[in-house]
Amino acid sequence: MPTDLQPSSSLFALAVDFGGTKVEAALVDTDGRLVEGSRHRRPTGRNATVPELEESVGGVVRAAFAALPEGGRIVGVGIGSAGPIDRQKGLVSPLNVPHWRDYPMRDFVSRVATELGLDVPVTLEMDGVAITMAEHWVGAAQGVENVMGMVISTGIGGGLIVGGRVITGPTGNAGHIGHVEVGDIRGEDTFGSPFALEAMASGPHTVAWARHQGFEGTTGEELAAAYAAGDPIAHEAIARTGRAVGHAIASATALLDLELVAIGGGFSHSTPDLFDHMRAVIAEHYFPFVRKVRIVPSGLSSEGPLVGAAALIHRSHLLP
């Protein structure tokens, strides 16, 4: 907390966002703003070895630390990681990074911080929790006490704030909305279940379905361009994904009485119509309290995951 001797503007969180394709780190102030020049990125990926992953994570942490403004102080390190995780033990097992299974991420980052002369708390949470905290802090969910944050990208993740508090379990894995099952829609057989939301509605799996129907592109960007050009397969692919996400949101709202769902991630930007398909599913629900939930785009830029990792430090009072 700020003291009379150190204004809050000089207190920073060192934020780390670890995902299936990259890891980033940056310094973030108490207003959720990134320090200019502190943001650094390195690759992760399915084929990266443990030493390569450690080099990437350690590299971005050290580079972000080097940008600390004169007179500034780092008050903690927040890590948002793709899941599953074990928040109590500080372990990560990102589905798309197979060489890290029960990897002691928190201990590794703590060692790097110690090498840099930092004696501060290091907090690890699932990336969906972090991004939801960011939306609640400075994004689309400001002032909303019952919210789910979602990311639709290479995978689908999420996090929950209910009654103004982060909801998570002992291992930290509550909010895995991408791995709830959606009836009547079959996706790719990913991680053992073709009926999981992620198997049908992530960017790569939406593209895969479109390719089965004759689409010749290979990326989400190409599918979005085809959609804009009026391609009927792209239109059906987007509609199918939107319906699947809408059904998952309806189920989550029925369970938790959500007020708002904020959605970010690269594939969520494919077309605004994606949100219309989600909302159409909600509008047809038989419960009025489900129909009331608002589905909105993220209020954050690509900095959102880093702001969320910083929120683990600056907004730690919301954590269990």
Side-chain angles (χ1 to χ4, degrees):
M1 295 293 292
T3 69
D4 292 339
L5 298 178
Q6 187 136 27
S8 62
S9 59
S10 65
L11 303 180
F12 303 95
L14 201 163
V16 181
D17 172 52
F18 184 89
T21 58
K22 63 179 174 59
V23 58
E24 290 191 297
L27 300 178
V28 182
D29 70 15
T30 53
D31 292 319
R33 298 173 300 202
L34 269 66
V35 173
E36 186 175 356
S38 72
R39 185 177 185 178
H40 295 271
R41 172 179 179 172
R42 292 198 181 183
T44 56
R46 180 168 290 277
N47 297 319
T49 64
V50 171
E52 289 170 340
L53 292 165
E54 290 180 341
E55 176 63 25
S56 287
V57 173
V60 295
V61 169
R62 295 181 184 99
F65 173 80
L68 182 65
E70 184 177 356
R73 180 163 64 92
I74 293 174
V75 294
V77 180
I79 308 165
S81 175
I85 69 167
D86 187 323
R87 71 191 298 265
Q88 292 183 339
K89 297 178 180 178
L91 309 177
V92 301
S93 302
L95 289 174
N96 293 306
V97 185
H99 287 134
W100 269 10
R101 289 294 175 265
D102 288 332
Y103 177 79
M105 167 80 106
R106 188 173 60 207
D107 287 350
F108 174 75
V109 173
S110 294
R111 287 197 300 273
V112 175
T114 299
E115 291 169 6
L116 295 171
L118 295 174
D119 182 15
V120 296
V122 177
T123 301
L124 169 71
E125 295 287 351
M126 196 168 66
D127 54 0
V129 168
I131 195 64
T132 304
M133 291 179 70
E135 295 288 351
H136 186 261
W137 183 17
V138 293
Q142 293 179 69
V144 181
E145 297 299 89
N146 299 283
V147 58
M148 180 167 66
M150 287 185 67
V151 175
I152 302 177
S153 187
T154 305
I156 296 179
L160 297 163
I161 292 177
V162 177
R165 302 279 296 181
V166 171
I167 299 298
T168 190
T171 61
N173 288 296
H176 261 108
I177 188 68
H179 298 278
V180 301
E181 296 195 353
V182 179
D184 300 326
I185 305 176
R186 185 183 181 93
E188 302 296 302
D189 190 4
T190 183
F191 305 121
S193 175
F195 300 104
L197 177 64
E198 183 173 292
M200 59 193 71
S202 72
H205 288 128
T206 301
V207 172
W209 182 87
R211 286 179 59 82
H212 290 322
Q213 314 309 309
F215 177 65
E216 296 184 353
T218 59
T219 68
E221 290 82 2
E222 290 172 327
L223 187 71
Y227 185 95
D231 182 274
I233 295 176
H235 273 248
E236 181 52 33
I238 291 293
R240 176 179 177 274
T241 285
R243 290 194 298 269
V245 176
H247 283 296
I249 290 173
S251 295
T253 301
L255 184 66
L256 297 166
D257 198 8
L258 299 171
E259 299 173 78
L260 182 141
V261 177
I263 303 177
F267 195 66
S268 74
H269 303 304
S270 55
T271 168
D273 294 351
L274 179 63
F275 285 78
D276 291 337
H277 291 295
M278 300 175 200
R279 293 169 183 141
V281 171
I282 297 299
E284 295 172 356
H285 202 277
Y286 46 86
F287 277 144
F289 81 88
V290 171
R291 295 197 298 269
K292 77 172 181 349
V293 69
R294 292 181 290 141
I295 305 174
V296 301
S298 167
L300 304 170
S301 67
S302 64
E303 298 175 349
L306 288 167
V307 174
L312 303 177
I313 301 301
H314 292 316
R315 307 271 288 175
S316 61
H317 59 281
L318 298 183
L319 293 167

